[in-house]
Amino acid sequence: MDFQRSTTITSTVTRIPEAEYVNPFVLKLDLDDPWEKRKTYLMTLLVLPIRALLMGVCLLVAWAFASIGLYGLSEKERRSIPISGWRREMRELTALAMRLLYFFGSFHRIKVNGECASPREAPIVVVGPHYSLFDSIVVAFCGPSTVVAKSKAADLPLIGKIIDITQPIYVCREDPNSRHITRHLIIERVISKEDWPQILIFPEGTCSNGKAVVQFKPGAFGPGLPVQPVAIRYTNPTNTVSWTWQGPGVPILLWRTLTSLHTGFEINFLPVYYPNEQERNDAKLYALNVRNYIAQSLGIPGTEHGYNDCKLMNYMIAIGMPYFAWSHDIGKMRRWLGLADGTVEQSLLDRYGPFTEQNSHIALDEFARRLDISAENDSTRILFKIFNKDNDSAGLIDFREYLLLALFMSSLGKQKLDLLKLLFKLYGVERDLIARDGLYLAVRHLSSITPEQCDQLFFKADNANRGLISFEQFERSINCHPILIDLQELNEPKPYAAPQQAHTS
């Protein structure tokens, strides 16, 4: 395969046609086909209990082998000395038991292309795209490899011991020094003359739907040593495995996967990637090129989506903001359309307010006209489609939903009070005046206040008993009230928040 390496990282991004645009953080898993419904329910009754029993037995056997292999080793020894002799044989048996677990869990069709390189050839294995916990089957086919895992994984019943037998590098994402410590431990392992197994990393750092390969974190590429890229894919027509930010949760995915007749899985061991001088000196460039190499081998795009988006999505989930899984896409399309600073949307608050059911539900042409952008522009159509319930560029959207997200994103890093002032206009019923129900709509994403507490503040501010208040009246009414502390905070994610993916059934 011919692969063209990038030699620089540029901020210029190729615009993507509407028909080819994908969001890797969204998965829709339907059960609408009558045959699929009958088959799934039949498999649930007749096959799932047997599979679950056999998988449970395999898990217990794997745990037993891992426990035997770790017996007598202190935590310090587990992390500083590679296991050998009979302990290594216990690790091999643990991997075999895990492969059987997957076999009994519907993974009967595992196709392996290429060969896993030796640790001396490639001390680090990088795997993408990262779909879900099912991807751990790759570990069993790589030796097994050492993994980089969250520190909390060590406390998981049964699974913790199985992870420990791989002598993992544990990461504590809540620790601000975690990135530096992890990078140091990786370098320490790969340059060691001791017989450590390969380190297997999912460098995306988050899960996706597999329709694109998201940005790679540079940690695995910092040492500047050769890596073996591994491209994986699930070959069933219906994706029942991806644990995305918007989509089915783990119970639904397990159920749908374990009730499938077969789950096809393909592991492609690509040739060892030897970095050139520029890549050795620039971990981000190295990561980008390997990401593109894996994406090209699978025939899917690389995308700007990445782990850094997770912090913003976590924040949006915590405050109840809609369309969190589309935050990256909304921000990118608005940048491409010259709307990033929010001035256009702020001007529309005065031009079209107050917003009602009659003037808020609009089609694509009116959406483009209001924002003074072209309706034929792919970025316009993609942005409109995000807010269309049918995920189409036809039909209508609620313009208030778009304005909420646009105002929220253009206010990131600013005081929440600044955003609240704009939301008074968005949800107001007269110029700069808001009613009781509108007040709660304005403050619900900016504070943990309850509707009852919000009503109390409204009545306190409405000293003229008009049923309407201004922003200035509200601001005076919250003096010395706990909500003022919330509203004086910056509208931005808290640092070092560990991703907590949200799902819908």
Side-chain angles (χ1 to χ4, degrees), residues 332-349:
K332 181 163 62 176
M333 296 307 125
R334 292 183 64 248
R335 284 197 307 274
W336 286 357
L337 293 166
L339 301 170
D341 62 3
T343 54
V344 172
E345 289 88 356
Q346 290 178 33
S347 69
L348 295 178
L349 295 175

Side-chain angles (χ1 to χ4, degrees), residues 460-501:
K460 180 181 178 181
D462 186 19
N463 44 34
N465 201 29
R466 292 187 302 165
L468 298 172
I469 62 171
S470 66
F471 178 79
E472 289 72 22
Q473 287 177 297
F474 177 75
E475 198 171 20
R476 287 195 296 270
S477 75
I478 62 174
N479 188 33
C480 299
H481 192 278
I483 191 178
L484 184 60
I485 299 174
D486 291 337
L487 296 176
Q488 287 176 335
E489 291 180 349
L490 295 182
N491 178 34
E492 63 182 12
K494 297 293 187 289
Y496 311 117
Q500 298 293 327
Q501 285 152 298

Side-chain angles (χ1 to χ4, degrees), residues 108-255:
H108 312 140
R109 298 173 177 173
I110 299 176
K111 182 180 180 182
V112 180
N113 299 312
E115 294 183 358
C116 184
S118 70
R120 291 301 174 191
E121 289 179 279
I124 298 175
V125 175
V126 291
V127 185
H130 188 17
Y131 294 79
S132 68
L133 53 87
F134 294 110
D135 302 347
S136 61
I137 194 171
V138 180
V139 177
F141 281 85
C142 289
S145 304
T146 286
V147 296
V148 178
K150 290 186 291 187
S151 55
K152 294 178 181 177
D155 300 324
L156 294 173
L158 302 180
I159 298 294
K161 286 286 187 186
I162 296 170
I163 294 174
D164 271 345
I165 196 67
T166 72
Q167 297 190 278
I169 295 173
Y170 283 118
V171 180
C172 180
R173 285 176 172 170
E174 291 79 6
D175 183 353
N177 298 314
S178 176
R179 182 180 300 179
H180 173 74
I181 294 170
T182 302
R183 184 173 182 271
H184 173 74
L185 290 173
I186 291 172
I187 293 173
E188 192 176 73
R189 289 273 185 100
V190 299
I191 66 174
S192 172
K193 294 183 179 179
E194 296 187 80
D195 190 20
W196 287 102
Q198 288 170 310
I199 299 174
L200 186 144
I201 298 175
F202 294 95
E204 290 164 300
T206 189
C207 297
S208 72
N209 59 23
K211 293 183 178 179
V213 187
V214 307
Q215 286 185 352
F216 280 5
K217 297 168 70 177
F221 306 93
L225 296 172
V227 300
Q228 181 168 33
V230 179
I232 62 174
R233 78 167 113 223
Y234 295 83
T235 56
N236 284 22
T238 302
N239 183 348
T240 65
V241 299
S242 289
W243 186 29
T244 55
W245 283 85
Q246 181 177 309
V250 170
I252 298 295
L253 294 173
L254 281 172
W255 172 53

